[in-house]
Amino acid sequence: MLHEPPLYRRDARVSSCRGFLGARAGLLVVVVVTFPWLFAVIDAMILSLAAAAAMSSGSSSSLNSSSLDPFDSSTSWSLGEDPSNSSSELVVRTLTPELQPATTAVAVQEVSPWDIALCVTGTLISCENALVIAVLFYTPTLRAPMFILIGSLAVADLLAGLGLILNFVFTYLVDSSVEFVTLLSVGLLISAFSASVLNILAITVDRYLSLYNALTYHTERTVTYTYVMVIFIWVSCLTLGLLPALGWNCLKDDSSCSICRPVTKNNAVALAVTFLLVFALMMQLYLQICKIAFRHAQQIAVQHQFIAISTTKGVSTLSAILCAFGACWLPFAMYSIVADSTYPVIYTYATVLPATCCSVINPIIYAFRNPDIQKSLWMACCGCVPSNLSLRPRTSSDV
């Protein structure tokens, strides 16, 4: 009987410890980076609300008061010198036009509760997916093709969350009338959410291939092939995000705008139809996955009852995943086809918010349910793995 050399076992333990220490360090980095974002966003919303309230009260008080005249140089605009002095009059006349817009022209912009909800959702998305990225990056054992796809999905959702935060900042804290700001925000959101949907499709294809070609899956699905597919997804999505900046926008013609300005109606319909085709393909793939799973269960005679229960659970899990994805995105896709910029904006918010919630659900479905990622999280947080988790068998629904 052959035994491992002590030096080999020690090197393996050292490598494992380094991976766990790296995971802990990554978790610490996530906490340090993302939680200041959370407090910064909350502070920005509070400051915006306070500024709007103060400006409103200041405007109403200036209208009700008749004792102050911003153009009266003999009262509040005096510099503390003799009014007969010509030099002081010259200075007063020079300062009055510059200070006038700051005191008389008050533009009050109310903060929409829908925008606050989207910003909070974006913050939650950013925190969840940053945690997933840190665990995958600092755990050397999580380098299989399926984890590359999960990491790509987490990056897409992270950018989507940051895009929602930046959209709030650009709307209420930056001059949103600048075209560059509007095109940057919309381009980031289109690229991120498109990449999120396509990465979910890629994960579904990967699940199907892992069951359909179970014997040759690990030899055909190489890491290089997965990286090429991920690069293709991101190049396609970045191209879609650049279309508004390249001229496909409705900034010059508001009548051609869709429900999401400055995306044109034709572009919005094309994106919505593409999503419906992706959703139909996902339904077909999940149906084939269920058929293959039931076929495998029938072919195995040993532990028949256990396999049947496991297969039923896996099918119900896949059905829940597909239903959650459809419930989040189908209302927005259908509304984008039938509506335009003349429709009430509350309907747009009511369909956009569930679509963004899909990026909140994705880390739970595709990352936190995976046994290997759960082990890394347990090791990073408390340095141990529960016994029931270490003995849990991996099924197709865990990936």
Side-chain angles (χ1 to χ4, degrees):
M1 182 176 181
L2 298 178
H3 298 279
E4 292 180 334
L7 181 60
Y8 178 81
R9 291 197 301 266
R10 184 179 62 185
D11 292 341
R13 288 194 299 267
V14 170
S15 177
S16 178
C17 291
R18 286 178 181 175
F20 295 147
L21 291 177
R24 286 189 176 183
L27 184 62
L28 180 61
V29 169
V30 170
V31 173
V32 171
V33 172
T34 57
F35 279 93
W37 267 98
L38 176 61
F39 293 116
V41 170
I42 294 176
D43 291 340
M45 290 188 293
I46 293 175
L47 289 176
S48 300
L49 293 171
M55 293 166 67
S56 300
S57 61
S59 176
S60 60
S61 62
S62 62
L63 292 176
N64 294 331
S65 176
S66 61
S67 61
L68 296 178
D69 186 4
F71 295 98
D72 187 4
S73 60
S74 63
T75 56
S76 61
W77 295 94
S78 175
L79 295 178
E81 299 180 3
D82 188 2
S84 62
N85 191 351
S86 60
S87 62
S88 65
E89 289 183 3
L90 180 60
V91 174
V92 170
R93 290 172 184 174
T94 305
L95 291 178
T96 299
E98 296 178 358
L99 297 178
Q100 176 185 351
T103 56
T104 60
V106 178
V108 179
Q109 184 179 10
E110 296 182 357
V111 180
S112 172
W114 291 99
D115 287 329
I116 295 177
L118 289 175
C119 186
V120 173
T121 304
T123 305
L124 181 59
I125 292 171
S126 302
C127 293
E128 282 184 331
N129 290 279
L131 179 60
V132 174
I133 294 172
V135 170
L136 294 176
F137 183 79
Y138 287 99
T139 306
T141 57
L142 303 181
R143 295 293 184 268
M146 62 179 178
F147 295 113
I148 296 174
L149 295 176
I150 292 175
S152 179
L153 175 62
V155 171
D157 288 334
L158 174 63
L159 292 178
L162 294 178
L164 293 174
I165 298 174
L166 291 178
N167 182 67
F168 181 87
V169 173
F170 290 159
T171 302
Y172 295 102
L173 302 180
V174 182
D175 187 6
S176 59
S177 61
V178 181
E179 293 185 1
F180 171 76
V181 172
T182 303
L183 295 175
L184 176 63
S185 176
V186 172
L188 177 60
L189 290 174
I190 291 176
S191 299
F193 282 113
S194 299
S196 178
V197 172
L198 291 182
N199 277 291
I200 292 176
L201 176 62
I203 292 175
T204 306
V205 173
D206 184 76
R207 287 179 172 178
Y208 170 74
L209 293 177
S210 65
L211 292 176
Y212 184 77
N213 298 325
L215 298 178
T216 60
Y217 169 78
H218 294 286
T219 57
E220 295 178 354
R221 293 285 293 174
T222 60
V223 175
T224 304
Y225 177 82
T226 306
Y227 275 120
V228 170
M229 184 171 59
V230 169
I231 292 173
F232 174 77
I233 290 174
W234 279 102
V235 170
S236 302
C237 295
L238 291 176
T239 303
L240 291 176
L242 288 175
L243 289 181
L246 296 177
W248 282 273
N249 59 68
C250 60
L251 293 176
K252 307 292 184 181
D253 185 13
D254 291 338
S255 61
S256 62
C257 284
S258 65
I259 58 176
C260 297
R261 190 178 184 272
V263 180
T264 62
K265 174 67 175 178
N266 293 333
N267 289 348
V269 171
L271 290 174
V273 171
T274 303
F275 166 78
L276 294 177
L277 294 177
V278 170
F279 183 70
L281 179 58
M282 289 180 58
M283 290 183 62
Q284 180 65 24
L285 289 174
Y286 275 123
L287 180 61
Q288 296 299 322
I289 289 174
C290 293
K291 289 182 178 179
I292 295 173
F294 278 117
R295 190 184 310 126
H296 288 176
Q298 293 175 356
Q299 292 175 354
I300 299 177
V302 182
Q303 297 179 350
H304 179 75
Q305 184 178 1
F306 172 76
I307 296 297
I309 294 174
S310 178
T311 304
T312 304
K313 182 180 178 181
V315 171
S316 61
T317 302
L318 295 179
S319 302
I321 292 174
L322 190 62
C323 291
F325 181 75
C328 290
W329 278 106
L330 280 178
F332 178 70
M334 299 301 296
Y335 186 69
S336 299
I337 295 175
V338 301
D340 54 26
S341 59
T342 60
Y343 281 61
V345 69
I346 188 173
Y347 297 149
T348 302
Y349 280 119
T351 54
V352 167
L353 187 58
T356 59
C357 290
C358 184
S359 296
V360 179
I361 302 173
N362 286 339
I364 301 174
I365 293 177
Y366 298 101
F368 297 143
R369 292 179 59 254
N370 186 278
D372 296 325
I373 296 179
Q374 289 180 7
K375 293 176 185 178
S376 299
L377 285 174
W378 276 101
M379 292 301 303
C381 294
C382 62
C384 62
V385 179
S387 58
N388 57 347
L389 181 63
S390 60
L391 298 177
R392 178 186 172 187
R394 182 186 301 173
T395 61
S396 60
S397 61
D398 291 326
V399 180

